[in-house]
Amino acid sequence: MIASRTLFLLPATALLLTSAPAALAQTFAPALRAPNASVQGAAAARQDGENVNWTSYNSDVSGSRFAPLDQINAGNFKDLEVAWRFKTDMFGSRPEYKLEGTPLAVDGVIFTTAGTRRAVVAINGTTGELLWSYALHEGKRSAVSPRALSGRGLSYWTDGNKRRILYTTIGYRLVSLDADTGQVDTSFGDKGFVDLKQDWDQPMTDLEEGEAGAHSAPAISGNTVIIGAAFREGFTPRSMNNTKGYVRAFDVRTGKRLWTFHTVPKKGEFGYETWLKGSAETTGNAGVWTQVSIDPELNLAYLNVESPTSDFYGGQRPGAGLFGNSLVAVDLTTGERKWHFQLIHHEIWDLDNSSAPLLMNVNVDGQARKVVGVPSKQGFFYVFDRTTGKPVWPINEVKVPKGNVPGEWYSPTQPIPTKPPIYARNGITEADLIDFTPELKKKALEVTSRFELGPVYTPPIVSTKDKLGVINNWAQGGTNWPGGSFDPETGIAYVYACGACISATGLQPGPDTMTDVDWVVGVDGQPVVMIKGPGEGAGADTPAAPPAAGGGGAGIPRLNVDGLPLVKPPYGTISAIDVHNGTIKWQVAHGETPDFVRNHPALKGLDIPRTGQSTYQIGTLVTKSLIIAGENQVTSPGDRPRGAMLRAYDKGNGKEVGAVYMAGPQSGSPMSYMVNGKQYIIVAVSGGTYSGEYIAYTLPSKN
């Protein structure tokens, strides 16, 4: 059974519904509407004073994460106080500890996702008061979804009269809600819903268990809404012939499908020939699970496509495999490919294109250029002319090594940018190992003696008792889903990167009873077992190694040295990249030195500069004068309660200018808005033992 709920400052009203979308909408009768809902909802809370809105997940469809505000600045950031807090525990069957949302702000009303049910909530932006909520109960379809929990955000649309909130449910439905009341817009789709598992140019007969979902926010420009697809996180799928991650566009008013872009080309389409032995027919994934960026003037949408199936083995899909790991520009009206650039040929490192493209207007060699920048897990910042797709600076095809995995197809070269310089750890070599003392360096060499080391495109190897795998920072290193941000006034991009998100990868034959993938992640001498990937829903078992190269156990060394990170600091950085000339303007370690490092007895008496923190989920906010980002680890340095800090840096030189306390670690990217002339900053916090909460900060009132 499926139930939906809309709340207007009254006890929740729930109705049990059938699974058919038509039946879903038929139950939204006037009886569900609270008395005087029109004056109790978001419309009554809208402010008419001096407002600055945040109307898209990344502030705008260019991906900037920029708020043109400076009321909160270097001189007063430390004085910020909590304006309101909004816990999300009640929006689902249990508290959520992975709240990754970035809210929208429209004329004083905050719209965001919340809780394990992925509810949509409207909140008064000055008081934190709940105005309305909506949730869809999808039963088993939600329980087995590959992308559960609250997701990362919503989309807003208006024609100046109607105002709508659009989002994808856990069960992969697209819903359109009235922004003022939270009621489903029954003129959209099939009585308010578009079932995204249907009308997809590929068969999906099981609408409950068919693998497809989304956690990113839809992208909207004009009357077009674009939806990508996401699949199970990490490890190995049950089948190479997984769902294909085709991208679709719909009419934002009616829900009618406008076009579909085949990220794995069909026979006769451009790129099909790059899949040798007809492997395009039997390979899945290649979805766009991150945010889509749009240039309305050029009428182009920019799709950052992930890896094909599977993450670490591609012998069953020989060839370069377009459009896997490609940036693709498509016509916003028709979905026709205008240009593409494949960032990785035949990807076998889990180096998905993971974040929103950044659309920037800069001056290169004195010439005005419209460019698109792509941060990456590799620590490369790729820059292209966004009209033509031509690299702004040379990207050379560089020879890379081959591995020893039977049946694998290896690309002889990979595209390596010449500018800007690498901004994050790019592979793991002996030079990257911990060296606070000679003793620690010696122990690090002992730990790594049973592994391969090498640059970023060192290929995975067959795990043996002598060489267990390749130590790498592939899956979670560099820049992950939060992506970068940029200042449209200066042409500077700001990118967080993880420098110590390391693991070790070796391959073993895939068990016939678990998967049809020939080689899967595993360690010699250890059975491959069924475990769940992080953040997956019930029934999301996938093959992988038991506590393996990264986790120790059964004679397998842990990737640390006496409890210290195996690699040297910085563990996490924020870099300012000047896109006018392709240089790194400054780089700082982001985050307090972790307690276990600062207090380690082996480092007593040593002067250890701030190390930064290791995480893959820090996003940055840019304002008129500041770069703002929170910490993802809690510390207790002694001068404050145990917690994390929201930090601000001078965007010109990277100097920290202020910090305020957060009770939990940052788990969603911060945003900023203004209501009636007063600036606010919201950040989502969660993780560890701290359940999801949105915290809004502002300056103290004069009174």
Side-chain angles (χ1 to χ4, degrees), residues 188-203:
F188 178 83
D190 187 355
K191 307 299 183 183
F193 302 85
V194 172
D195 189 336
L196 295 170
K197 290 187 178 182
Q198 299 189 63
D199 195 19
W200 203 6
D201 292 359
Q202 58 183 318

Side-chain angles (χ1 to χ4, degrees), residues 158-238:
T158 183
D159 61 1
N161 181 22
K162 296 179 180 179
R163 295 166 12 101
R164 297 290 181 262
I165 296 295
L166 287 91
Y167 86 113
T168 51
T169 68
I170 294 174
Y172 204 42
R173 290 180 170 97
L174 178 63
V175 184
S176 178
L177 304 175
D178 186 302
D180 291 325
T181 68
Q183 293 287 312
V184 171
D185 176 7
T186 57
S187 66
F188 178 83
D190 187 355
K191 307 299 183 183
F193 302 85
V194 172
D195 189 336
L196 295 170
K197 290 187 178 182
Q198 299 189 63
D199 195 19
W200 203 6
D201 292 359
Q202 58 183 318
M204 184 169 287
T205 56
D206 189 337
L207 298 183
E208 281 194 335
E209 297 199 30
E211 186 177 327
H215 48 194
S216 57
I220 296 178
S221 180
N223 293 326
T224 301
V225 54
I226 300 176
I227 306 292
F231 308 100
R232 301 200 189 280
E233 294 184 76
F235 306 122
T236 301
R238 298 182 183 92

Side-chain angles (χ1 to χ4, degrees), residues 236-505:
T236 301
R238 298 182 183 92
S239 175
M240 281 291 298
N241 194 13
N242 199 21
T243 311
K244 303 181 194 298
Y246 297 156
V247 179
R248 283 166 293 175
F250 300 88
D251 186 292
V252 76
R253 296 174 183 267
T254 67
K256 178 184 177 182
R257 184 176 71 154
L258 301 177
W259 51 259
T260 300
F261 179 77
H262 301 138
T263 55
V264 178
K266 290 181 173 290
K267 191 172 184 178
E269 294 180 341
F270 182 92
Y272 182 84
E273 70 284 355
T274 66
W275 299 80
L276 305 182
K277 299 182 179 180
S279 56
E281 308 293 341
T282 55
T283 304
N285 291 70
V288 177
W289 56 258
T290 189
Q291 295 301 133
V292 173
S293 297
I294 299 173
D295 185 331
E297 292 184 0
L298 293 178
N299 203 45
L300 294 177
Y302 299 85
L303 315 178
N304 223 3
V305 184
E306 63 149 355
S307 314
T309 318
S310 67
D311 287 342
F312 297 104
Y313 179 73
Q316 290 152 278
R317 50 171 171 86
L322 291 175
F323 294 95
N325 300 88
S326 299
L327 177 64
V328 186
V330 300
D331 186 283
L332 184 62
T333 305
T334 65
E336 177 188 1
R337 179 191 65 90
K338 292 300 183 181
W339 61 261
H340 77 277
F341 191 98
Q342 190 173 50
L343 307 185
I344 304 175
H345 310 314
H346 189 81
E347 210 275 297
I348 51 174
W349 298 272
D350 196 17
L351 291 168
D352 303 11
N353 291 353
S354 59
S355 61
L358 308 179
L359 311 186
M360 301 168 283
N361 297 332
V362 296
N363 288 288
V364 179
D365 297 329
Q367 182 180 0
R369 300 287 297 273
K370 295 182 176 182
V371 305
V372 51
V374 180
S376 68
K377 293 183 179 181
Q378 303 94 290
F380 296 129
F381 191 86
Y382 303 84
V383 185
F384 306 95
D385 184 295
R386 69 174 185 265
T387 304
T388 66
K390 181 179 179 180
V392 171
W393 297 287
I395 298 179
N396 298 328
E397 290 289 338
V398 177
K399 187 175 181 180
V400 295
K402 294 178 64 175
N404 66 352
V405 180
E408 184 60 273
W409 187 95
Y410 295 97
S411 175
T413 64
Q414 293 294 344
I416 307 294
T418 56
K419 292 176 71 174
I422 296 167
Y423 66 88
R425 185 163 277 130
N426 186 252
I428 306 291
T429 67
E430 287 189 10
D432 293 291
L433 301 181
I434 184 174
D435 61 358
F436 290 132
T437 68
E439 292 78 11
L440 291 173
K441 181 62 175 281
K442 180 180 178 181
K443 290 182 178 181
L445 292 172
E446 292 173 356
V447 169
T448 59
S449 64
R450 295 182 64 190
F451 299 92
E452 293 281 357
L453 302 177
V456 63
Y457 292 127
T458 300
I461 62 173
V462 175
S463 180
T464 68
K465 63 180 179 180
D466 296 320
K467 290 294 182 181
L468 297 172
V470 178
I471 294 178
N472 61 77
N473 58 341
W474 298 332
Q476 296 180 349
T479 303
N480 211 288
W481 62 264
S485 55
F486 71 91
D487 184 344
E489 297 176 351
T490 64
I492 308 296
Y494 301 92
V495 187
Y496 171 84
C498 184
C501 293
I502 66 171
S503 58
T505 304

Side-chain angles (χ1 to χ4, degrees), residues 5 90-92 112-121 132-136 149-150 154 167 170 177:
R5 180 178 67 185
M90 68 170 286
F91 296 97
T112 192
T113 54
T116 56
R117 192 74 66 191
R118 195 176 295 179
V120 181
V121 295
W132 58 255
S133 75
Y134 169 86
L136 187 65
L149 305 177
S150 60
L154 309 165
Y167 86 113
I170 294 174
L177 304 175

